[in-house]
Amino acid sequence: MTPKGKVPFVDLVTLHRELEPELLEVCKRVIETAGFVGGPEVEGLEKEFAEFCDAKYSVAVNSGTDALRFALMAAGVRPGDIVVTVPNTFIATTEAISQAGARPDLVDIDPRTFNMDPQKLRAYLETQCTLDSSSGHYVHKILKKPVTAVVPVHLFGQMADMDSIMELAAQYNLIVVEDACQAHGAEYFSQKENRWMKAGSIGRAAAFSFYPGKNLGACGEGGAITTNDPELARKCMVLRDHGSAKKYYHEMEGYNGRLDSIQAGMLRIKLKHLAKWNEQRRASARVYDELLAPMAEAVAAPFEPKSAKSVYHLYVVRTTSRDDLQKHLSEKGIGTGIHYPVPVHLQKAYAGMWKQGDFPEAESAAEQILSLPMFAGLTIEQQKLAAETISEFVGEYVR
Ligand SMILES: *Cc1c(COP(=O)(O)O)cnc(C)c1O
């Protein structure tokens, strides 16, 4: 993460330096009106972000984790339900499920895209669950709890196979909430709709994170829900504000999950650049693809199916000599990351719930994936240096 090497893994400094006068103007404006929480900046961001995602509504909150929790609760997930997601994600996905009162359960990934494998979801529903005709829900045979929702994670900026997931969800009576925390602006070609669709516009609702390192990041914490359902949006607004739609009148207990005005104002400025930044990331990905092609046997570039337009939150290669390659790159001043080294089901936090071998594709991915430098503003020279350093390693150690 440190920009001290020759090629940093991410560079958040340069990008913000260019926007500094505008960002400082936001602080000044907010300080002068003393409207620090909610208000016109937040409402403006909600309107603009919903438009960007091709969704009718967006509700701004203080993190992606809360966005996912509120979306699940507002969509009707209840304490004691099972919500299915994938093992190779950031723990926030399963935390949000647990914090909504549900029990996270997992299905393995497609090893080419690292996203949820719809065949595995189907197998899970068919073999591990049985229809409870009184409730209309599929109930897990061993856990004896209803499976009510599925959270596909659009990992690394690339959308999951949403047509298949939506079809299964309809068949098995599941709510779909997209974890789009890494996928602001990503697109998916829906055969069913015969058009490109944006992340956050397909499921019942979606959660986005504005953590600084995301494709759209605040200068602090933030997140948002998108949905086309006005009642779901209203419920999220109530949940984020102590269960109240009107100050000091509480329909239920809620949370303090509000976004502050300074972050909202800064996000509005950055949102104007997001489409361009995403294009830059896609262009950088094409450059990497080309540079890495001669080494494809040793270091595999990411797979982008025809149905996906990734926004490359991360550019993740796959190699059996991952740890050695990472060490080599680090010694030569090239920053890298691993997303993620330990799949959710093997985290200490979930000890006793799953075991080694439960999700072999996620486990093998965790041992082989490496995220190369990727950010808007990455130069071709920096990419060449990274690729040459990889090539050097492949030549010396792999053959
Ligand atoms: C970042 C992230 C989150 C959580 O977002 P926060 O804003 O950090 O709470 C959830 N899911 C995924 C996949 C993420 O990458």
Side-chain angles (χ1 to χ4, degrees):
M1 279 284 209
T2 48
K4 69 172 195 292
K6 287 187 201 156
V7 186
F9 177 58
V10 288
D11 176 8
L12 290 176
V13 175
T14 311
L15 181 139
H16 288 93
R17 197 180 290 135
E18 283 164 15
L19 298 174
E20 197 177 298
E22 275 182 278
L23 296 173
L24 291 176
E25 195 52 44
V26 170
C27 296
K28 202 161 164 281
R29 202 161 68 225
V30 172
I31 287 167
E32 275 163 10
T33 58
F36 293 116
V37 177
E41 293 291 354
V42 172
E43 283 161 25
L45 172 68
E46 290 176 335
K47 189 170 160 290
E48 290 151 15
F49 191 64
E51 265 166 33
F52 180 84
C53 298
D54 289 340
K56 286 210 181 91
Y57 308 94
S58 143
V59 178
V61 295
N62 66 1
S63 72
T65 312
D66 268 2
L68 189 53
R69 165 165 55 164
F70 298 161
L72 289 166
M73 295 174 87
V77 168
R78 287 188 300 195
D81 289 358
I82 289 174
V83 176
V84 183
T85 188
V86 284
N88 65 325
T89 182
F90 183 53
I91 193 171
T93 312
T94 44
E95 281 176 334
I97 293 169
S98 300
Q99 288 165 8
R103 197 241 195 236
D105 210 353
L106 307 169
V107 296
D108 212 350
I109 52 161
D110 177 335
R112 291 182 311 164
T113 60
F114 304 115
N115 278 329
M116 179 178 281
D117 182 345
Q119 298 302 335
K120 306 258 171 58
L121 177 61
R122 179 188 295 282
Y124 172 89
L125 294 161
E126 274 177 5
T127 63
Q128 300 191 47
C129 305
T130 178
L131 178 65
D132 170 37
S133 42
S134 64
S135 69
H137 284 301
Y138 281 75
V139 173
H140 193 280
K141 289 184 208 161
I142 295 165
L143 299 171
K144 309 261 185 251
K145 291 165 189 264
V147 181
T148 59
V150 56
V151 177
V153 181
H154 305 320
L155 202 69
F156 308 149
Q158 180 160 290
M159 288 178 71
D161 180 2
M162 290 303 286
D163 275 352
S164 307
I165 292 167
M166 294 303 286
E167 197 182 310
L168 283 169
Q171 192 182 338
Y172 288 90
N173 190 18
L174 304 175
I175 297 160
V176 179
V177 176
E178 301 166 58
D179 183 337
C181 285
Q182 300 188 1
H184 322 61
E187 292 182 61
Y188 170 81
F189 189 83
S190 167
Q191 296 285 349
K192 196 167 145 267
E193 302 271 338
N194 194 31
R195 62 186 171 100
W196 287 96
M197 296 180 83
K198 284 258 181 91
S201 72
I202 302 181
R204 181 88 64 82
F208 289 86
S209 165
F210 301 137
Y211 185 74
K214 306 291 165 103
N215 287 33
L216 177 62
C219 300
E221 303 275 356
I225 298 121
T226 57
T227 182
N228 290 322
D229 177 344
E231 182 53 23
L232 194 151
R234 196 197 72 86
K235 281 186 187 154
C236 288
M237 288 182 163
V238 168
L239 281 167
R240 78 170 168 193
D241 200 10
H242 299 292
S244 69
K246 184 178 167 192
K247 201 162 193 177
Y248 304 132
Y249 292 80
H250 307 274
E251 4 183 317
M252 59 171 130
E253 282 190 352
Y255 302 86
N256 179 351
R258 297 170 305 232
L259 184 68
D260 72 78
S261 316
I262 289 181
Q263 294 310 328
M266 291 184 170
L267 282 161
R268 292 177 79 186
I269 287 167
K270 293 179 74 180
L271 178 56
K272 288 191 230 150
H273 300 272
L274 181 56
K276 174 190 73 194
W277 289 336
N278 282 345
E279 277 311 315
Q280 289 175 3
R281 285 174 184 265
R282 287 182 59 74
S284 296
R286 295 295 86 86
V287 170
Y288 270 138
D289 288 349
E290 222 171 279
L291 291 169
L292 295 175
M295 308 170 242
E297 268 176 44
V299 180
F303 170 68
E304 189 174 332
K306 284 203 176 62
S307 58
K309 271 188 204 155
S310 173
V311 290
Y312 290 95
H313 172 58
L314 296 168
Y315 186 91
V316 178
V317 298
R318 185 163 186 155
T319 171
T320 48
S321 339
R322 193 267 314 276
D323 292 343
D324 291 337
L325 175 59
Q326 183 177 42
K327 190 163 160 275
H328 180 80
L329 286 167
S330 157
E331 282 165 6
K332 304 283 169 154
I334 315 284
T336 58
I338 299 173
H339 303 88
Y340 297 90
V342 180
V344 162
H345 69 288
L346 300 178
Q347 294 287 352
K348 195 173 165 196
Y350 298 118
M353 283 171 74
W354 294 284
K355 60 182 189 314
Q356 185 91 34
D358 280 350
F359 306 103
E361 296 296 356
E363 289 170 24
S364 128
E367 287 171 6
Q368 299 181 354
I369 49 178
L370 187 66
S371 310
L372 301 187
M374 174 54 81
F375 50 90
L378 180 68
T379 65
I380 294 184
E381 287 66 39
Q382 288 175 315
Q383 293 191 271
K384 279 189 180 153
L385 188 57
E388 277 160 22
T389 314
I390 295 171
S391 168
E392 193 181 283
F393 172 83
V394 169
E396 266 179 60
Y397 303 95
V398 177
R399 292 242 168 87

